[in-house]
Amino acid sequence: MYHIPVLLNESIEGLNIKPDGVYVDVTFGGGGHSRRIMESLGKEGRLYAFDQDEDAAENIIDDDRFTFIQENFRYMKNFVQLYCGGKVDGILADLGVSSYQFDTAEKGFSIRYNGRLDMRMDKNASVDAASVVNTYDVGSLARLFSRYGELKNSMNIANAIVMHREMNRIETTDELKEAVARLLPKGSENKVLAQIFQALRIEVNEEMKVLEIFLKQCADVLKPGGRLVVLSYHSLEDRLVKNFMKTGNADGILEKDFFGNQLTPYKLVNSKPIVPADEEILHNNRARSAKLRIAERRDK
């Protein structure tokens, strides 16, 4: 199993699919969401799917209505313009790391398997996790663990890594775990390790920067009445998604015109995020932190 899609039915319902509509899945992965979208499309419908991970190309859907684009979704607007004139009826983003990526040791995402400290979604990228932990100065490491891992003892963790690498370069996930082992609170070791790994993954793939670039493009790409559906898995992502859906900007500051009318490109379909039911979490533990937000493009 490449990936069990989280909140699959709710995501597809949120798109409010028209049989002849044009849709974009910017996180194709194993193709779970895309296949369900295709089931709702008629002969004139179209789906464009993005994924920079070369392994995702193995899951391409053999259908004339489907186009796979092996690129980072930061380039969504350019490719939508190229393929369909720049406007679509719905955009779906599932921001979680797939089960396949976590379970493939050599990708270096998981705390469970020993593998090279890689964490690149795009194998052609020049910066991997090993280069971050071995070259960033202590201040830079502390800042990224604080900002992206939301760790309160980020400076201690950064110091431990720098001290360890002075003796031996840190090349594997197990070596990183060894470097910070003495700082892991008893009973919460895996939680803190997951926060450290999350921070490195976000840094390596510029995830927050890319997400902001993508969200800025969505209002321009969506037709009036078009839907934006986003699944996020940690508070940093969810906060950014919420701000854009509520206000149209990253800061969450609602702008108004001269007459006091709110200048926001969206109306919220769900005022609060949709979260998985207990039964779904029981069958798919990675669903536990998921939040689904849906917004509809206003008429200009």
Side-chain angles (χ1 to χ4, degrees):
M1 177 67 70
Y2 189 100
H3 183 55
I4 302 171
V6 176
L7 291 167
L8 178 59
N9 292 332
E10 294 86 347
S11 299
I12 302 305
E13 288 171 8
L15 282 173
N16 194 26
I17 296 173
K18 303 173 185 177
D20 62 348
V22 180
Y23 295 88
V24 181
D25 178 355
V26 298
T27 49
F28 178 66
H33 286 104
S34 282
R35 286 183 172 81
R36 186 65 69 86
I37 293 170
M38 295 294 293
E39 291 174 6
S40 302
L41 293 179
K43 292 182 179 179
E44 301 304 316
R46 293 289 180 271
L47 174 63
Y48 299 94
F50 287 77
D51 205 301
Q52 62 184 342
D53 188 338
E54 59 189 25
D55 292 342
E58 298 175 8
N59 305 306
I60 288 176
I61 301 169
D62 185 15
D63 191 305
D64 290 342
R65 301 168 298 166
F66 176 82
T67 301
F68 178 73
I69 302 165
Q70 192 173 322
E71 289 285 356
N72 187 294
F73 60 71
R74 74 199 311 171
Y75 304 115
M76 177 190 68
K77 185 175 180 179
N78 290 344
F79 280 96
V80 167
Q81 181 68 43
L82 175 67
Y83 281 108
C84 59
K87 296 291 182 181
V88 302
D89 296 285
I91 301 168
L92 171 72
D94 180 352
L95 303 175
V97 178
S98 75
S99 302
Y100 169 80
Q101 288 169 323
F102 269 126
D103 294 340
T104 305
E106 57 265 27
K107 289 183 177 288
F109 288 112
S110 178
I111 64 174
R112 291 187 297 156
Y113 309 108
N114 187 34
R116 189 180 180 280
L117 264 179
D118 193 323
M119 299 194 189
R120 291 173 299 169
M121 299 286 189
D122 179 1
K123 290 299 183 185
N124 295 316
S126 57
V127 176
D128 61 10
S131 63
V132 171
V133 299
N134 286 292
T135 64
Y136 279 29
D137 62 41
V138 68
S140 298
L141 285 172
R143 281 190 292 274
L144 80 89
F145 289 133
S146 175
R147 183 178 181 187
Y148 297 147
E150 299 182 288
L151 287 158
K152 294 179 180 178
N153 63 336
S154 60
M155 182 57 77
N156 291 338
I157 291 169
N159 272 318
I161 288 171
V162 170
M163 288 175 62
H164 192 279
R165 78 189 191 196
E166 286 176 356
M167 296 180 290
N168 293 294
R169 183 177 167 86
I170 301 170
E171 294 284 1
T172 69
T173 53
D174 276 1
E175 288 168 359
L176 176 58
K177 288 160 67 175
E178 180 186 341
V180 299
R182 64 181 177 82
L183 296 172
L184 303 177
K186 191 172 183 180
S188 301
E189 294 93 340
N190 286 346
K191 179 184 177 183
V192 174
L193 282 171
Q195 290 172 280
I196 293 170
F197 276 52
Q198 172 184 291
L200 289 170
R201 192 198 75 226
I202 291 173
E203 176 73 6
V204 167
N205 296 290
E206 299 183 306
E207 290 180 27
M208 297 307 298
K209 177 181 178 181
V210 168
L211 179 58
E212 183 172 347
I213 291 170
F214 158 72
L215 290 168
K216 284 180 179 177
Q217 298 174 13
C218 289
D220 293 334
V221 169
L222 281 169
K223 297 176 183 176
R227 294 283 183 89
L228 174 60
V229 177
V230 183
L231 272 160
S232 59
Y233 295 83
H234 57 76
S235 59
L236 296 173
E237 291 175 339
D238 182 60
R239 191 178 305 126
L240 193 57
V241 172
K242 179 176 68 174
N243 285 348
F244 266 96
M245 287 187 174
K246 284 189 172 183
T247 68
N249 60 68
D251 298 322
I253 299 171
L254 191 60
E255 298 177 2
K256 296 182 180 181
D257 65 14
F258 179 79
F259 301 101
N261 299 310
Q262 296 179 353
L263 296 175
T264 173
Y266 301 108
K267 61 180 179 180
L268 301 180
V269 175
N270 56 324
S271 57
K272 293 185 178 180
I274 298 168
V275 297
D278 291 342
E279 184 178 354
E280 180 171 0
I281 295 172
L282 183 65
H283 289 94
N284 182 10
N285 187 48
R286 287 182 178 142
R288 68 190 183 280
S289 59
K291 291 184 178 179
L292 174 66
R293 294 187 185 271
I294 307 165
E296 183 172 298
R297 184 70 170 93
R298 294 181 185 273
D299 293 339
K300 291 183 178 179

